[in-house]
Amino acid sequence: MFQPLNAKVESPNYNFELTSLDDFYPGKFISEIEKKYGRSEVLGKESELTTQKFLVKHPRYNVSAILQEKSGEVQDVFFRLPSYFLHDSFFQSLVNRLGKQSTYKKVGEEAFYVWNKDSLRHVYSAACTITCFPIFYAIEKRENSNGLLSKLKKTTWP
């Protein structure tokens, strides 16, 4: 009565690899990023910091990378993730890479996960309605008090 389907079923994350974001980590240089991703869109300047936006393109998704740079070096980065990515897959890739989170906080239907690894602070946010989906992933230097996260921070964030 039922016949098996011989079709490939892919996760909605479309073979997304966390390593595709490595080029934007704090400490990397804008000149190297521009060689691979082209010129950025400058969003603003504040004293020595320049805020720029790059687009990580894949045939099935685009990820916006908003970063601050000082003297050509990335200080922090904020990734806006596609809402059709599965939270479970993305979160598991973070756990595989970073280990168990340092802090977890749930506010309403949103969750915030923080990893303090070496000199970097990784923050991941996800929300749930019918399914769970990622909102953003950010990386900043732990000693950075003027990062993108502090500018975008809600009072309820960890």
Side-chain angles (χ1 to χ4, degrees), residues 3 11 13 25 40 45 50 60 64 73 76-77 98 106 109 122-123 152:
Q3 294 186 4
S11 161
N13 289 14
Y25 269 44
S40 67
K45 290 187 179 210
T50 303
R60 295 186 178 171
S64 296
E73 183 181 336
D76 57 358
V77 63
L98 304 170
K106 186 171 185 271
E109 300 304 318
H122 300 254
V123 180
L152 302 171

Side-chain angles (χ1 to χ4, degrees), residues 16-150:
F16 176 80
E17 292 291 329
L18 197 55
T19 55
S20 65
L21 305 179
D22 287 354
D23 296 327
F24 299 95
Y25 269 44
K28 301 286 182 164
F29 292 95
I30 293 294
S31 58
E32 294 300 314
I33 296 171
E34 286 180 340
K35 284 179 188 174
K36 187 170 181 178
Y37 297 94
R39 302 281 299 156
S40 67
E41 176 185 345
V42 176
L43 301 178
K45 290 187 179 210
E46 185 180 309
S47 65
E48 298 176 329
L49 293 172
T50 303
T51 305
Q52 300 181 37
K53 179 181 176 183
F54 288 90
L55 201 57
V56 179
K57 294 182 180 181
H58 184 274
R60 295 186 178 171
Y61 62 81
N62 291 331
V63 174
S64 296
I66 300 169
L67 58 83
Q68 288 190 123
E69 62 94 5
K70 179 180 176 182
S71 303
E73 183 181 336
V74 176
Q75 300 300 304
D76 57 358
V77 63
F78 179 94
F79 300 102
R80 179 67 175 101
L81 302 168
S83 60
Y84 51 81
F85 272 16
L86 287 178
H87 158 70
D88 293 343
S89 299
F90 190 81
F91 180 70
Q92 188 60 53
S93 64
L94 288 172
V95 169
N96 290 347
R97 177 178 254 198
L98 304 170
K100 187 178 185 299
Q101 71 269 9
S102 308
T103 306
Y104 166 79
K105 185 173 186 180
K106 186 171 185 271
V107 180
E109 300 304 318
E110 267 184 271
F112 298 91
Y113 305 86
V114 179
W115 289 265
N116 292 313
K117 291 296 266 186
D118 303 321
S119 62
L120 298 176
R121 181 176 188 229
H122 300 254
V123 180
Y124 168 64
S125 176
C128 295
T129 54
I130 295 170
T131 62
C132 295
F133 54 92
I135 298 174
F136 73 83
Y137 173 51
I139 308 161
E140 64 183 0
K141 293 180 180 179
R142 286 173 65 182
E143 74 274 356
N144 190 358
S145 61
N146 192 26
L148 285 168
L149 281 177
S150 66

